[in-house]
Tab-separated table of all heavy atoms in Angstrom:
chain	number	residue	atom	x	y	z
U	123	ASP	N	-58.951	-3.938	42.627
U	123	ASP	CA	-58.106	-4.491	43.694
U	123	ASP	C	-56.663	-4.718	43.267
U	123	ASP	O	-55.796	-4.932	44.119
U	123	ASP	CB	-58.693	-5.807	44.214
U	123	ASP	CG	-59.986	-5.603	44.991
U	123	ASP	OD1	-60.265	-4.458	45.390
U	123	ASP	OD2	-60.724	-6.588	45.186
U	124	TYR	N	-56.389	-4.683	41.974
U	124	TYR	CA	-55.019	-4.882	41.515
U	124	TYR	C	-54.145	-3.650	41.744
U	124	TYR	O	-52.916	-3.753	41.703
U	124	TYR	CB	-54.994	-5.218	40.018
U	124	TYR	CG	-55.663	-6.526	39.655
U	124	TYR	CD1	-56.407	-6.643	38.477
U	124	TYR	CD2	-55.562	-7.645	40.468
U	124	TYR	CE1	-57.019	-7.839	38.131
U	124	TYR	CE2	-56.169	-8.847	40.136
U	124	TYR	CZ	-56.901	-8.934	38.968
U	124	TYR	OH	-57.498	-10.116	38.628
U	125	PHE	N	-54.773	-2.507	41.969
U	125	PHE	CA	-54.011	-1.256	42.031
U	125	PHE	C	-53.773	-0.791	43.464
U	125	PHE	O	-54.694	-0.659	44.259
U	125	PHE	CB	-54.718	-0.165	41.220
U	125	PHE	CG	-54.770	-0.480	39.759
U	125	PHE	CD1	-55.917	-1.014	39.188
U	125	PHE	CD2	-53.659	-0.295	38.962
U	125	PHE	CE1	-55.955	-1.344	37.844
U	125	PHE	CE2	-53.684	-0.621	37.619
U	125	PHE	CZ	-54.838	-1.144	37.059
U	126	TYR	N	-52.510	-0.526	43.735
U	126	TYR	CA	-52.068	-0.042	45.044
U	126	TYR	C	-52.578	1.379	45.278
U	126	TYR	O	-53.056	1.712	46.360
U	126	TYR	CB	-50.537	-0.100	45.094
U	126	TYR	CG	-49.885	0.628	46.232
U	126	TYR	CD1	-50.151	0.291	47.552
U	126	TYR	CD2	-48.977	1.660	45.988
U	126	TYR	CE1	-49.546	0.966	48.602
U	126	TYR	CE2	-48.356	2.333	47.022
U	126	TYR	CZ	-48.644	1.980	48.328
U	126	TYR	OH	-48.049	2.647	49.353
U	127	LYS	N	-52.492	2.211	44.251
U	127	LYS	CA	-52.954	3.599	44.333
U	127	LYS	C	-53.495	4.032	42.968
U	127	LYS	O	-53.076	3.513	41.934
U	127	LYS	CB	-51.816	4.550	44.736
U	127	LYS	CG	-51.261	4.342	46.132
U	127	LYS	CD	-52.160	4.975	47.193
U	127	LYS	CE	-51.502	4.898	48.566
U	127	LYS	NZ	-52.336	5.536	49.597
U	128	ILE	N	-54.379	5.026	42.981
U	128	ILE	CA	-54.924	5.609	41.750
U	128	ILE	C	-54.834	7.130	41.871
U	128	ILE	O	-55.253	7.699	42.886
U	128	ILE	CB	-56.386	5.186	41.527
U	128	ILE	CG1	-56.493	3.660	41.438
U	128	ILE	CG2	-56.950	5.827	40.252
U	128	ILE	CD1	-57.908	3.140	41.481
U	129	TYR	N	-54.290	7.758	40.852
U	129	TYR	CA	-54.119	9.213	40.871
U	129	TYR	C	-54.701	9.834	39.598
U	129	TYR	O	-54.585	9.276	38.512
U	129	TYR	CB	-52.638	9.591	40.965
U	129	TYR	CG	-51.977	9.156	42.248
U	129	TYR	CD1	-51.386	7.901	42.336
U	129	TYR	CD2	-51.942	9.982	43.364
U	129	TYR	CE1	-50.773	7.485	43.512
U	129	TYR	CE2	-51.330	9.578	44.543
U	129	TYR	CZ	-50.748	8.326	44.614
U	129	TYR	OH	-50.143	7.910	45.776
U	130	SER	N	-55.313	10.995	39.774
U	130	SER	CA	-55.828	11.770	38.644
U	130	SER	C	-55.138	13.120	38.604
U	130	SER	O	-54.939	13.765	39.652
U	130	SER	CB	-57.337	11.975	38.783
U	130	SER	OG	-57.796	12.938	37.847
U	131	CYS	N	-54.800	13.566	37.400
U	131	CYS	CA	-54.185	14.892	37.248
U	131	CYS	C	-55.147	16.005	37.648
U	131	CYS	O	-54.718	17.149	37.852
U	131	CYS	CB	-53.726	15.097	35.807
U	131	CYS	SG	-52.212	14.214	35.387
U	132	ARG	N	-56.446	15.670	37.754
U	132	ARG	CA	-57.421	16.682	38.181
U	132	ARG	C	-57.130	17.138	39.612
U	132	ARG	O	-57.601	18.191	40.036
U	132	ARG	CB	-58.841	16.119	38.094
U	132	ARG	CG	-59.230	15.585	36.728
U	132	ARG	CD	-59.154	16.658	35.655
U	132	ARG	NE	-59.389	16.107	34.340
U	132	ARG	CZ	-60.583	16.007	33.772
U	132	ARG	NH1	-61.659	16.420	34.411
U	132	ARG	NH2	-60.703	15.504	32.562
U	133	ASP	N	-56.388	16.316	40.347
U	133	ASP	CA	-56.036	16.658	41.722
U	133	ASP	C	-54.673	17.334	41.811
U	133	ASP	O	-54.188	17.614	42.907
U	133	ASP	CB	-56.046	15.401	42.604
U	133	ASP	CG	-57.412	14.726	42.624
U	133	ASP	OD1	-58.423	15.455	42.704
U	133	ASP	OD2	-57.463	13.486	42.560
U	134	MET	N	-54.060	17.580	40.662
U	134	MET	CA	-52.762	18.245	40.603
U	134	MET	C	-52.943	19.686	40.113
U	134	MET	O	-54.009	20.062	39.639
U	134	MET	CB	-51.819	17.496	39.645
U	134	MET	CG	-51.668	16.011	39.948
U	134	MET	SD	-50.767	15.691	41.469
U	134	MET	CE	-51.639	14.234	42.083
U	135	VAL	N	-51.896	20.454	40.206
U	135	VAL	CA	-51.947	21.824	39.699
U	135	VAL	C	-51.955	21.820	38.176
U	135	VAL	O	-52.687	22.574	37.536
U	135	VAL	CB	-50.745	22.648	40.220
U	135	VAL	CG1	-50.717	24.031	39.552
U	135	VAL	CG2	-50.820	22.787	41.731
U	136	ALA	N	-51.145	20.922	37.591
U	136	ALA	CA	-51.015	20.895	36.133
U	136	ALA	C	-51.152	19.467	35.621
U	136	ALA	O	-50.644	18.521	36.227
U	136	ALA	CB	-49.662	21.467	35.715
U	137	PRO	N	-51.844	19.285	34.480
U	137	PRO	CA	-51.972	17.952	33.871
U	137	PRO	C	-50.699	17.580	33.110
U	137	PRO	O	-49.795	18.404	32.944
U	137	PRO	CB	-53.151	18.126	32.910
U	137	PRO	CG	-53.059	19.560	32.487
U	137	PRO	CD	-52.576	20.303	33.701
U	138	LYS	N	-50.608	16.337	32.654
U	138	LYS	CA	-49.536	15.962	31.732
U	138	LYS	C	-49.641	16.877	30.496
U	138	LYS	O	-50.744	17.233	30.110
U	138	LYS	CB	-49.702	14.503	31.291
U	138	LYS	CG	-49.722	13.489	32.421
U	138	LYS	CD	-50.098	12.107	31.889
U	138	LYS	CE	-50.371	11.119	32.983
U	138	LYS	NZ	-50.822	9.800	32.473
U	139	PRO	N	-48.557	17.345	29.912
U	139	PRO	CA	-47.191	16.830	29.997
U	139	PRO	C	-46.365	17.307	31.190
U	139	PRO	O	-45.175	17.036	31.245
U	139	PRO	CB	-46.565	17.302	28.686
U	139	PRO	CG	-47.260	18.589	28.402
U	139	PRO	CD	-48.684	18.354	28.849
U	140	SER	N	-46.972	18.031	32.119
U	140	SER	CA	-46.249	18.351	33.344
U	140	SER	C	-45.877	17.049	34.064
U	140	SER	O	-46.690	16.122	34.123
U	140	SER	CB	-47.125	19.212	34.260
U	140	SER	OG	-46.584	19.251	35.573
U	141	PRO	N	-44.686	16.971	34.628
U	141	PRO	CA	-44.285	15.761	35.360
U	141	PRO	C	-44.838	15.710	36.774
U	141	PRO	O	-44.529	14.782	37.532
U	141	PRO	CB	-42.758	15.877	35.378
U	141	PRO	CG	-42.511	17.353	35.418
U	141	PRO	CD	-43.594	17.965	34.550
U	142	GLU	N	-45.667	16.691	37.130
U	142	GLU	CA	-46.118	16.831	38.516
U	142	GLU	C	-46.701	15.539	39.082
U	142	GLU	O	-46.365	15.131	40.197
U	142	GLU	CB	-47.162	17.948	38.641
U	142	GLU	CG	-47.659	18.129	40.076
U	142	GLU	CD	-48.807	19.122	40.202
U	142	GLU	OE1	-49.239	19.663	39.170
U	142	GLU	OE2	-49.271	19.343	41.327
U	143	ILE	N	-47.595	14.899	38.338
U	143	ILE	CA	-48.267	13.719	38.877
U	143	ILE	C	-47.272	12.597	39.169
U	143	ILE	O	-47.376	11.913	40.197
U	143	ILE	CB	-49.389	13.220	37.941
U	143	ILE	CG1	-50.237	12.156	38.670
U	143	ILE	CG2	-48.851	12.706	36.617
U	143	ILE	CD1	-51.538	11.818	37.955
U	144	TYR	N	-46.276	12.436	38.307
U	144	TYR	CA	-45.287	11.382	38.529
U	144	TYR	C	-44.357	11.714	39.692
U	144	TYR	O	-44.023	10.834	40.493
U	144	TYR	CB	-44.503	11.114	37.244
U	144	TYR	CG	-45.344	10.431	36.206
U	144	TYR	CD1	-45.544	10.980	34.944
U	144	TYR	CD2	-45.975	9.221	36.493
U	144	TYR	CE1	-46.336	10.343	34.005
U	144	TYR	CE2	-46.777	8.583	35.557
U	144	TYR	CZ	-46.951	9.155	34.315
U	144	TYR	OH	-47.750	8.519	33.392
U	145	ASN	N	-43.959	12.962	39.789
U	145	ASN	CA	-43.131	13.373	40.929
U	145	ASN	C	-43.905	13.237	42.239
U	145	ASN	O	-43.340	12.829	43.263
U	145	ASN	CB	-42.652	14.811	40.737
U	145	ASN	CG	-41.562	14.936	39.685
U	145	ASN	OD1	-40.754	14.020	39.501
U	145	ASN	ND2	-41.530	16.053	38.989
U	146	TYR	N	-45.184	13.561	42.195
U	146	TYR	CA	-46.020	13.450	43.394
U	146	TYR	C	-46.162	11.991	43.827
U	146	TYR	O	-46.081	11.668	45.019
U	146	TYR	CB	-47.402	14.054	43.131
U	146	TYR	CG	-48.325	13.965	44.326
U	146	TYR	CD1	-48.223	14.875	45.373
U	146	TYR	CD2	-49.280	12.953	44.404
U	146	TYR	CE1	-49.072	14.795	46.480
U	146	TYR	CE2	-50.119	12.857	45.509
U	146	TYR	CZ	-50.007	13.781	46.540
U	146	TYR	OH	-50.835	13.676	47.634
U	147	ILE	N	-46.387	11.104	42.862
U	147	ILE	CA	-46.531	9.677	43.173
U	147	ILE	C	-45.263	9.145	43.838
U	147	ILE	O	-45.316	8.451	44.862
U	147	ILE	CB	-46.839	8.875	41.891
U	147	ILE	CG1	-48.264	9.167	41.418
U	147	ILE	CG2	-46.665	7.379	42.136
U	147	ILE	CD1	-48.585	8.600	40.045
U	148	VAL	N	-44.117	9.447	43.262
U	148	VAL	CA	-42.839	8.978	43.802
U	148	VAL	C	-42.638	9.489	45.225
U	148	VAL	O	-42.248	8.730	46.129
U	148	VAL	CB	-41.670	9.427	42.895
U	148	VAL	CG1	-40.330	9.184	43.584
U	148	VAL	CG2	-41.721	8.685	41.571
U	149	SER	N	-42.928	10.773	45.432
U	149	SER	CA	-42.736	11.381	46.743
U	149	SER	C	-43.711	10.833	47.784
U	149	SER	O	-43.313	10.431	48.882
U	149	SER	CB	-42.895	12.901	46.630
U	149	SER	OG	-42.830	13.510	47.898
U	150	SER	N	-45.004	10.798	47.431
U	150	SER	CA	-46.027	10.408	48.408
U	150	SER	C	-45.982	8.919	48.748
U	150	SER	O	-46.354	8.517	49.856
U	150	SER	CB	-47.425	10.781	47.901
U	150	SER	OG	-47.739	10.089	46.711
U	151	CYS	N	-45.516	8.103	47.797
U	151	CYS	CA	-45.452	6.655	48.028
U	151	CYS	C	-44.069	6.192	48.480
U	151	CYS	O	-43.866	5.003	48.758
U	151	CYS	CB	-45.843	5.891	46.760
U	151	CYS	SG	-47.565	6.115	46.257
U	152	GLY	N	-43.110	7.135	48.561
U	152	GLY	CA	-41.761	6.784	48.985
U	152	GLY	C	-41.056	5.842	48.024
U	152	GLY	O	-40.360	4.914	48.440
U	153	LEU	N	-41.228	6.077	46.726
U	153	LEU	CA	-40.674	5.192	45.708
U	153	LEU	C	-39.296	5.655	45.248
U	153	LEU	O	-38.933	6.825	45.372
U	153	LEU	CB	-41.605	5.124	44.497
U	153	LEU	CG	-43.054	4.701	44.758
U	153	LEU	CD1	-43.857	4.770	43.470
U	153	LEU	CD2	-43.109	3.305	45.364
U	154	ASN	N	-38.546	4.728	44.682
U	154	ASN	CA	-37.274	5.021	44.040
U	154	ASN	C	-37.538	5.067	42.535
U	154	ASN	O	-38.032	4.106	41.962
U	154	ASN	CB	-36.261	3.925	44.385
U	154	ASN	CG	-34.884	4.194	43.805
U	154	ASN	OD1	-34.738	4.825	42.758
U	154	ASN	ND2	-33.857	3.712	44.484
U	155	LYS	N	-37.216	6.167	41.893
U	155	LYS	CA	-37.503	6.312	40.462
U	155	LYS	C	-36.855	5.215	39.617
U	155	LYS	O	-37.406	4.809	38.598
U	155	LYS	CB	-37.070	7.689	39.955
U	155	LYS	CG	-37.929	8.837	40.464
U	155	LYS	CD	-37.534	10.152	39.831
U	155	LYS	CE	-38.442	11.278	40.316
U	155	LYS	NZ	-38.131	12.576	39.672
U	156	ASP	N	-35.687	4.759	40.043
U	156	ASP	CA	-34.996	3.708	39.293
U	156	ASP	C	-35.733	2.373	39.365
U	156	ASP	O	-35.454	1.468	38.570
U	156	ASP	CB	-33.572	3.526	39.826
U	156	ASP	CG	-32.676	4.711	39.499
U	156	ASP	OD1	-32.975	5.412	38.512
U	156	ASP	OD2	-31.699	4.944	40.230
């Protein structure tokens, strides 16, 4: 219950070290990277 969202790289095209998961989180959640 503490977590707003949970993401797995298994649902992305590429795992880390690709930045895909972080870029996706920022975009889908409407976040500001700063």
Side-chain angles (χ1 to χ4, degrees):
D123 290 344
Y124 296 142
F125 295 99
Y126 167 60
K127 295 281 187 178
I128 301 169
Y129 296 89
S130 168
C131 284
R132 304 300 174 90
D133 300 318
M134 306 290 144
V135 173
K138 302 172 190 176
S140 165
E142 180 186 1
I143 191 168
Y144 289 122
N145 286 328
Y146 180 80
I147 289 171
V148 169
S149 175
S150 63
C151 294
L153 304 176
N154 183 330
K155 290 185 178 183
D156 290 335

